[in-house]
Amino acid sequence: MKAFRIPRLLQFVLVPVVVYAVTRLIFDVLLGQLIPASLMTMYMFFVLAGTFMAFTFTEDGTRELVAPIKALVEDPSRKWLRNVVFVVLPLALGFYTYQLRTPKPEAPLELRSIHPAPPSTVKAYDKRFNLLTLENPYRKLQKEDPEAFAEMVAAGAAVYIENCQYCHGDKLDGRGPYAQGLNPVPANFQDVGTIAQLQESYLFWRIATGGPGLPKEAAPWISSMPIWQDFLSEEETWQVILYLYDYTGHAPRSWEHE
Amino acid sequence: MTRRSRYVTWAGLLLLFGAILWLLPIDLGQLDWQSALAADETTTDAATESDGAAEANGAAESPYAPAPKTTAADYPQIAGVNSRVVVWLVAQLHLWFAAFVLAVPIFVFIIEAIGMATREKRYDDMAYEFIKVSITAYSLTAILGGLLAFSLLVFYPDLFLYLSTIFKETMFYYALIFFAESACLYIYYYGWHWLQGPFKKWLHLSLGLLLNGVGTLLMFLANGWLTFMMSPAGVDPAGVFQGDTMVALHNYLWNPINLHRFVANIAYGGSVVGAYAAFKFLSARRAEERAHYDWMGYNANFIAICALLPLPFAGYYLSAEIYAYSQQMGITLMGGIFAWLFIIQAVLIGTLFLSANYYLWCGMGRSDGAVRYNHYIKYIAIVLVGAFLVWFTPHTLVLSNEELKALGGPYHKYLGPLGIMPAKNTAVNVMILFTALSFLIYRRANRVATANWVRMGNAIQVALFTTGIANIFFLGIYHGYFTNTVYKVAASIPQVLTTLVVIVISTLIDYFMYRGAKDVAPLHWGRVPGRSQYALFLLAVAFTWLMGLMGYIRSGIRQHWHVVDIMRDNSPDAFTPTLGYAANVVSVGTVIFMTMVIFVFWLAQVSGSKAEPSGYWKEQQA
């Protein structure tokens, strides 16, 4: 008895369908973190491209793949099926396009960069700081005087708990009591993609000048971050930066080995 | 002196001169490394001083004027012409053609040398055909270069004056060196059939080396001007030139750009001549012609892949240096407003890898023995697509409000970590390794190894790939996510070395294992599907688009500065355009370039055809 083999065209359709279903199952259901439609569309486009490549690199394989389509178009005995496909397929695609393009009550998608580029210099505490060369003045204590450094970190922790945790959370994960009321939600410092990627001068700029200090070049920015130089001293700002890195275990971006 | 020894002497001198010229910019760069660094430090440290004081100091000590402070009135306008778009498109077109005409002589030189070593004339013919294509492109490069210079003079006179004050010597010698470039190219091309034979061929090859030396020097000079605009050196904070052109030329980003462009040009040149071969293949009517252009396309694709493999590393080195030079430019580049264009860049780079692999797989159809390896291809495709998906996964997602709420923020808990460089580096190394694997399989497709250690050789290769991939993952995950940024960035180097070691050793093993191997059957050149030729077209178009996009990003990260932190752009166009607008301009440029390239291909085709009209010319009496 001849072993059953799924027709090649059906295999070609099934591969992306199965990839899609499994991905949805894993991320949406099991992990509870859905994949956004914009990313899923890109993923599926290249899964389809890869499937096409794997199915068509030989002549025999390509012939077998397109044979049913060729037969549908050329075989006179499939006239009815052909007519049905030629009506249903454009209608389905048209309906999909219509659904895609119909305006919806939801706000349009927004391209938002989480890390706006800092200026080269910034004015804060009545001084001008060069962000290209600015360093945390207390960072050196980490090696030179660990006890004094620990005191600085503890002082930074107190500043953080008094001022920052309401939004950024007591675990520094961006899930403070007020976080859900903000859009976009506050930065998650535990994420390897936030402060671990940045120099301390960047944090100094963002904390000292807050939302209103964001660059004009890519306005409008949305940020609820207050101008902390109005509430914290320069020393407190550096202390809280030490605390952010100390608590999360990240190291600030630098170019020198220890 | 005999004729033979005269040729040998000339060839030796030319070879030596070419080699010196080729290495000259690098050597000069090394000599001035310390002073360039010192100049950078001076510039950045001094930036904390007030502008007025610096300006006064500079004016007092230097005979040069500070950088001009322009107003909108200093930028002449022509009704109905957008000056920025004109300069943007002309510069980009010039660069595309320049990359092509600089790259072709590099691999023509190598192919000619291979032809001389193997004494197979088909290599010589192919090299000649490649250089023939680049000749028309050469004049277009010069025309566009002239148009660019005029456009800058007309629309940005103050900027051009400022740059030419600093680079006056190099600009003058650049123009003179262009004569040398033209002379070398024309003698190299028109003397191809003349300089044949045992000694003349050496002379011709030496001329090729000289041509490459001159071309590379030209590119390095122009690179110095544009990188000065990004990372100025040799000037004080007010832009007052300190008098040392070499310091200005050898600024912080000069060598990273030199390296990146040198490698990228070869890959790009390979892809464009690959498109030419595909064009000729598809329009060929005879089987021999199809076989010839199939072989030519294969070689062009091979060149493109060889240069494509190290290209991501050269790009990463450039980006890391940009970040190291300026946090502001680095974040603008990859984390700020240009980050979304980087996603498109990632998609295009992935497309290059996919199309290059697809071409190799289709090419296995030339061999009767390929069927033994066909079943491996689907696994390679799965890995390539998987790595590609990681490669372009963004860190910050485009989300609808509903999705934002469902995720609880703009970051994805599981996919977010794939958005940063360690994941990208791991993915691209895997893509490169599997592209190399595709090539190894392609090489084996038509051969049967006869060595008695084949099993052991295969086992070593499997072990190499397995441990190599494991090491790449370890370096990417451990150093990328559990150490600080210094080690994270530094880990990319052992990752690259791992990839290179695996490729080199496994290729060597393959070489020895298949030495003296039997062919299954003669290779059927020309027996490839038309689809494979469209993959070659896709390679050239994706490369062109990619270069246009990245060229815009490289220039655009200066934002509202002509020369970063030194000379402000006060023209009416001193704003960063929207991503859609920039992508449209780049796309229009790509279409214009591809149209011009088709014109070049067509010219190469008509130059070989000859019509014999009957009754048009008077009969000549004997």
Side-chain angles (χ1 to χ4, degrees):
Chain A
M1 203 175 99
K2 201 177 169 185
F4 173 72
R5 187 166 164 266
I6 303 171
R8 201 165 165 84
L9 182 61
L10 190 57
Q11 287 180 27
F12 181 80
V13 175
L14 280 177
V15 169
V17 169
V18 168
V19 170
Y20 181 83
V22 170
T23 312
R24 283 277 180 225
L25 177 72
I26 292 173
F27 283 91
D28 294 16
V29 181
L30 299 178
L31 298 175
Q33 283 267 297
L34 58 84
I35 299 183
S38 58
L39 188 60
M40 198 64 195
T41 308
M42 281 169 74
Y43 280 173
M44 289 316 299
F45 178 81
F46 285 102
V47 167
L48 256 177
T51 313
F52 173 83
M53 285 163 56
F55 274 74
T56 63
F57 74 95
T58 63
E59 280 295 79
D60 290 345
T62 311
R63 252 194 302 275
E64 197 185 332
L65 180 72
V66 298
I69 303 169
K70 222 173 158 188
L72 180 75
V73 177
E74 293 173 359
D75 189 348
S77 67
R78 301 193 183 187
K79 187 180 166 190
W80 275 104
L81 183 62
R82 178 164 64 233
N83 289 344
V84 169
V85 170
F86 279 17
V87 170
V88 170
L89 200 67
L91 279 177
L93 284 172
F95 180 70
Y96 174 72
T97 312
Y98 175 77
Q99 289 283 15
L100 209 66
R101 304 304 303 170
T102 312
K104 296 182 180 63
E106 199 183 326
L109 296 181
E110 220 174 282
L111 279 178
R112 184 172 178 275
S113 299
I114 300 300
H115 294 320
S120 50
T121 63
V122 64
K123 202 171 177 193
Y125 301 107
D126 298 325
K127 283 185 277 184
R128 183 159 287 281
F129 295 91
N130 180 355
L131 293 181
L132 296 176
T133 52
L134 183 64
E135 286 177 3
N136 191 334
Y138 307 115
R139 176 62 59 189
K140 58 184 179 219
L141 294 176
Q142 196 168 6
K143 275 186 194 164
E144 293 171 3
D145 189 350
E147 271 183 33
F149 183 76
E151 280 172 25
M152 284 287 172
V153 171
V159 172
Y160 183 87
I161 296 301
E162 277 172 28
N163 301 283
C164 315
Q165 61 91 13
Y166 303 103
C167 297
H168 291 285
D170 54 1
K171 291 180 181 167
L172 284 66
D173 56 1
R175 291 173 183 262
Y178 297 164
Q180 289 307 314
L182 302 169
N183 181 14
V185 291
N188 169 8
F189 302 131
Q190 299 281 6
D191 188 305
V192 287
T194 58
I195 58 171
Q197 300 279 328
L198 301 165
Q199 289 167 238
E200 286 178 289
S201 61
Y202 186 99
L203 273 71
F204 180 82
W205 162 61
R206 289 291 285 115
I207 295 168
T209 63
L214 286 165
K216 288 175 190 163
E217 285 83 10
W221 291 103
I222 314 163
S223 170
S224 315
M225 185 85 163
I227 303 170
W228 284 105
Q229 62 175 315
D230 295 344
F231 308 101
L232 303 177
S233 68
E234 189 182 334
E235 186 184 41
E236 286 172 325
T237 303
W238 286 122
Q239 286 169 340
V240 83
I241 292 171
L242 291 181
Y243 172 70
L244 296 184
Y245 284 105
D246 186 77
Y247 186 88
T248 56
H250 298 312
R253 186 168 202 135
S254 74
W255 307 103
E256 288 161 13
H257 289 271
E258 285 163 16
Chain B
M1 189 182 264
T2 62
R3 196 171 168 164
R4 177 187 164 138
S5 57
R6 200 165 60 234
Y7 279 133
V8 171
T9 312
W10 271 108
L13 281 173
L14 271 172
L15 209 61
L16 188 68
F17 185 55
I20 290 170
L21 212 54
W22 212 345
L23 296 171
L24 188 65
I26 299 163
D27 285 348
L28 285 177
Q30 295 305 322
L31 287 174
D32 281 85
W33 179 250
Q34 293 302 327
S35 56
L37 279 182
D40 278 341
E41 280 162 18
T42 317
T43 310
T44 48
D45 287 342
T48 48
E49 296 172 23
S50 77
D51 282 359
E55 211 169 295
N57 289 341
E61 290 165 13
S62 172
Y64 297 95
K69 286 189 165 57
T70 53
T71 64
D74 296 317
Y75 297 87
Q77 300 289 321
I78 295 176
V81 177
N82 183 315
S83 51
R84 171 164 68 178
V85 173
V86 167
V87 171
W88 183 351
L89 282 177
V90 172
Q92 191 56 60
L93 284 166
H94 174 61
L95 191 112
W96 275 319
F97 274 109
F100 176 57
V101 298
L102 286 175
V104 171
I106 295 173
F107 52 78
V108 163
F109 170 79
I110 296 167
I111 295 169
E112 189 185 4
I114 293 172
M116 284 170 70
T118 59
R119 293 297 167 97
E120 284 190 51
K121 190 162 183 308
R122 59 183 185 145
Y123 284 106
D124 204 59
D125 293 341
M126 182 169 65
Y128 178 71
E129 196 156 358
F130 281 157
I131 202 81
K132 190 170 94 176
V133 181
S134 80
I135 282 286
T136 321
Y138 182 72
S139 51
L140 283 171
T141 312
I143 294 167
L144 286 162
L147 189 59
L148 175 60
F150 279 121
S151 304
L152 284 170
L153 278 168
V154 169
F155 296 119
Y156 296 90
D158 290 287
L159 170 65
F160 196 82
L161 181 67
Y162 178 61
L163 291 177
S164 57
T165 306
I166 296 167
F167 294 108
K168 54 185 180 300
E169 291 90 356
T170 54
M171 284 184 176
F172 179 68
Y173 291 122
Y174 181 89
L176 289 183
I177 296 169
F178 219 88
F179 277 105
E181 167 87 353
S182 305
C184 289
L185 180 65
Y186 289 138
I187 300 171
Y188 189 62
Y189 172 66
Y190 290 108
W192 197 285
H193 300 302
W194 169 52
L195 291 172
Q196 290 283 345
F199 305 112
K200 285 186 182 176
K201 199 63 189 157
W202 272 104
L203 192 67
H204 189 259
L205 187 73
S206 310
L207 206 61
L209 185 66
L210 188 66
L211 171 66
N212 280 307
V214 174
T216 307
L217 183 63
L218 280 173
M219 182 183 76
F220 282 9
L221 286 179
N223 287 350
W225 310 333
L226 74 93
T227 48
F228 172 82
M229 292 166 73
M230 298 171 74
S231 56
V235 290
D236 75 2
V240 177
F241 181 43
Q242 304 297 297
D244 191 341
T245 309
M246 197 56 222
V247 173
L249 196 70
H250 187 222
N251 55 74
Y252 197 88
L253 296 176
W254 190 44
N255 274 336
I257 282 269
N258 284 341
L259 177 71
H260 188 53
R261 282 193 165 174
F262 183 76
V263 180
N265 285 355
I266 298 174
Y268 184 55
S271 77
V272 175
V273 289
Y276 169 76
F279 170 80
K280 296 286 280 185
F281 177 91
L282 291 172
S283 55
R285 294 193 181 156
R286 290 181 297 119
E288 306 87 72
E289 259 187 284
R290 281 167 67 91
H292 172 71
Y293 288 111
D294 182 25
W295 182 68
M296 193 170 170
Y298 165 76
N299 280 289
N301 184 59
F302 177 74
I303 293 160
I305 291 181
C306 284
L308 181 64
L309 297 187
L311 198 52
F313 311 132
Y316 185 62
Y317 166 55
L318 173 61
S319 305
E321 290 299 302
I322 290 175
Y323 213 126
Y325 174 73
S326 162
Q327 177 185 220
Q328 184 187 27
M329 281 207 290
I331 292 176
T332 304
L333 182 75
M334 297 191 76
I337 44 174
F338 290 101
W340 297 102
L341 293 179
F342 255 79
I343 299 301
I344 303 176
Q345 176 245 23
V347 168
L348 287 172
I349 291 177
T351 306
L352 293 180
F353 276 98
L354 291 186
S355 51
N357 275 279
Y358 186 62
Y359 178 79
L360 278 177
W361 304 341
C362 286
M364 284 166 66
R366 297 177 190 117
S367 156
D368 291 338
V371 71
R372 295 171 298 160
Y373 294 98
N374 282 347
H375 61 282
Y376 292 119
I377 299 301
K378 55 178 172 289
Y379 301 111
I380 297 179
I382 290 168
V383 174
L384 280 175
V385 171
F388 183 23
L389 300 188
V390 172
W391 173 247
F392 72 71
T393 297
H395 184 226
T396 309
L397 303 164
V398 181
L399 299 166
S400 67
N401 280 331
E402 258 177 44
E403 289 167 341
L404 187 72
K405 267 185 233 155
L407 288 173
Y411 294 114
H412 197 284
K413 196 172 168 186
Y414 303 104
L415 296 178
L418 301 183
I420 57 174
M421 279 318 290
K424 313 289 184 204
N425 283 338
T426 306
V428 83
N429 277 287
V430 170
M431 278 163 77
I432 289 169
L433 275 180
F434 276 79
T435 303
L437 186 63
S438 283
F439 180 69
L440 287 182
I441 287 179
Y442 174 85
R443 275 193 79 240
R444 287 177 173 207
N446 198 44
R447 311 180 81 188
V448 179
T450 50
N452 56 8
W453 51 281
V454 171
R455 283 175 72 90
M456 192 177 71
N458 282 334
I460 294 172
Q461 282 179 318
V462 170
L464 255 174
F465 269 87
T466 311
T467 48
I469 290 168
N471 193 38
I472 287 166
F473 271 88
F474 168 75
L475 290 165
I477 294 171
Y478 176 70
H479 288 290
Y481 296 93
F482 300 101
T483 56
N484 71 39
T485 47
V486 177
Y487 299 105
K488 187 173 74 185
V489 174
S492 64
I493 296 167
Q495 273 188 325
V496 173
L497 290 176
T498 306
T499 302
L500 291 179
V501 165
V502 172
I503 291 175
V504 170
I505 296 182
S506 56
T507 307
L508 279 175
I509 292 172
D510 231 51
Y511 172 76
F512 286 111
M513 209 156 64
Y514 280 81
R515 205 163 51 165
K518 286 189 295 188
D519 281 354
V520 176
L523 267 184
H524 303 282
W525 287 107
R527 198 175 74 180
V528 285
R531 294 184 298 282
S532 64
Q533 305 303 304
Y534 291 103
L536 287 181
F537 283 135
L538 181 63
L539 201 66
V541 174
F543 242 123
T544 307
W545 217 359
L546 183 63
M547 280 173 69
L549 198 69
M550 297 315 288
Y552 163 66
I553 294 174
R554 186 203 53 71
S555 180
I557 54 171
R558 287 183 286 113
Q559 298 193 71
H560 50 279
W561 296 98
H562 286 312
V563 179
V564 173
D565 291 337
I566 298 288
M567 183 180 174
R568 203 180 164 102
D569 180 356
N570 287 312
S571 69
D573 294 315
F575 59 91
T576 302
T578 60
L579 301 183
Y581 180 84
N584 283 340
V585 174
V586 171
S587 304
V588 168
T590 305
V591 171
I592 296 172
F593 176 75
M594 294 318 296
T595 310
M596 291 169 87
V597 162
I598 290 168
F599 172 67
V600 169
F601 290 174
W602 177 75
L603 277 182
Q605 184 145 329
V606 292
S607 70
S609 48
K610 198 175 179 183
E612 303 269 355
S614 59
Y616 182 78
W617 300 108
K618 269 198 267 181
E619 289 289 328
Q620 296 290 314
Q621 291 187 345

